[in-house]
Amino acid sequence: MTRYAGDDVIERVLLTQEVIAERVAELGHAIATDHAGHDLRLITVLRGSVIFLADLCRAVETPLTLDFMAVSSFAGGGGGSVRITKDLDDPIEGASVVLVEDIIDTGLTLNYVLSILRARKPASLSVCTLLDKDVRRIVDLPIEYRGFSVPDQFLVGYGLDLAGRLRNLPYVATVREDEVA
Ligand code: IMP
Ligand code: MG
């Protein structure tokens, strides 16, 4: 395993690069099969999910386009208060949209983003997440494509960060208890 500066905070590797690659290929194939002949648009909320998106889109063997948005979440207000800081570049009306996420935790952010996208009248709207921390879910969300169900532990790597770092690790790992307290 390649050592990365700063990876001494890691407790153990949960998903290896090989295991992730195999699952990403399956997800990409499923998305291609379900959207053949449609105007497929993969949409991602910056920043962590771009790592997954980059691999996923190359596993989808059908024409597609990509678009990006960014949101910021506010503390308080009962949670789920989200503001768009960068909107999509193109309209999604009539497009078959798959929203690509790195991890779904409480689901509050995703729930808000989905409500915004739904109002723009896409032909279809589904969710693909690499990781699902399902025991933490607050709002019930339909997830059509799920990579892995993961335990309620803080994870880093493959897009997931600890204070902005470690997104570039090629695997998903748990972090030592004293680092996330
Ligand atoms: P939610 O609104 O609670 O579902 O927030 C999901 C977001 O929280 C993800 O897109 C990540 O940015 C972040 N997140 C949740 N769990 C983890 C984790 O274990 N490591 C790093 N980021 C996480
Ligand atoms: Mg995220």
Side-chain angles (χ1 to χ4, degrees):
M1 187 174 94
T2 312
R3 293 303 308 257
Y4 285 71
D7 72 359
D8 48 309
V9 302
I10 284 166
E11 183 187 57
R12 72 184 176 93
V13 175
L14 189 68
L15 303 168
T16 64
Q17 200 170 350
E18 293 74 20
V19 163
I20 294 170
E22 207 171 295
R23 191 73 186 112
V24 169
E26 290 170 358
L27 292 171
H29 186 66
I31 290 172
T33 305
D34 295 349
H35 295 85
H38 292 249
D39 175 17
L40 175 60
R41 179 94 32 93
L42 302 186
I43 288 178
T44 282
V45 180
L46 299 172
R47 288 175 249 177
S49 305
V50 299
I51 308 286
F52 175 40
L53 175 77
D55 286 340
L56 180 71
C57 73
R58 286 174 288 176
V60 179
E61 324 92 326
T62 192
L64 59 82
T65 53
L66 305 177
D67 207 347
F68 299 87
M69 64 191 295
V71 299
S72 69
S73 316
F74 294 104
S81 187
V82 180
R83 186 171 58 92
I84 297 178
T85 56
K86 184 226 170 287
D87 206 342
L88 298 172
D89 284 331
D90 299 319
I92 57 169
E93 186 168 354
S96 295
V97 174
V98 177
L99 187 67
V100 178
E101 270 285 359
D102 48 1
I103 187 166
I104 305 174
D105 188 42
T106 63
L108 290 170
T109 316
L110 181 61
N111 192 44
Y112 178 79
V113 170
L114 285 175
S115 69
I116 292 174
L117 297 182
R118 206 172 286 122
R120 297 180 184 181
K121 305 195 187 324
S124 67
L125 178 60
S126 51
V127 174
C128 176
T129 189
L130 180 70
L131 308 175
D132 185 6
K133 232 183 229 184
D134 40 3
V135 298
R136 298 250 311 159
R137 195 65 33 80
I138 292 175
V139 283
D140 192 33
L141 297 166
I143 302 172
E144 287 78 6
Y145 309 98
R146 175 189 285 102
F148 303 93
S149 178
V150 292
D152 182 16
Q153 274 179 289
F154 194 81
L155 305 173
V156 292
Y158 202 73
L160 300 173
D161 69 298
L162 176 64
R165 296 181 191 267
L166 299 173
R167 293 193 200 274
N168 56 322
L169 298 179
Y171 46 81
V172 172
T174 62
V175 170
R176 291 204 329 256
E177 194 81 29
D178 54 309
E179 294 291 337
V180 281

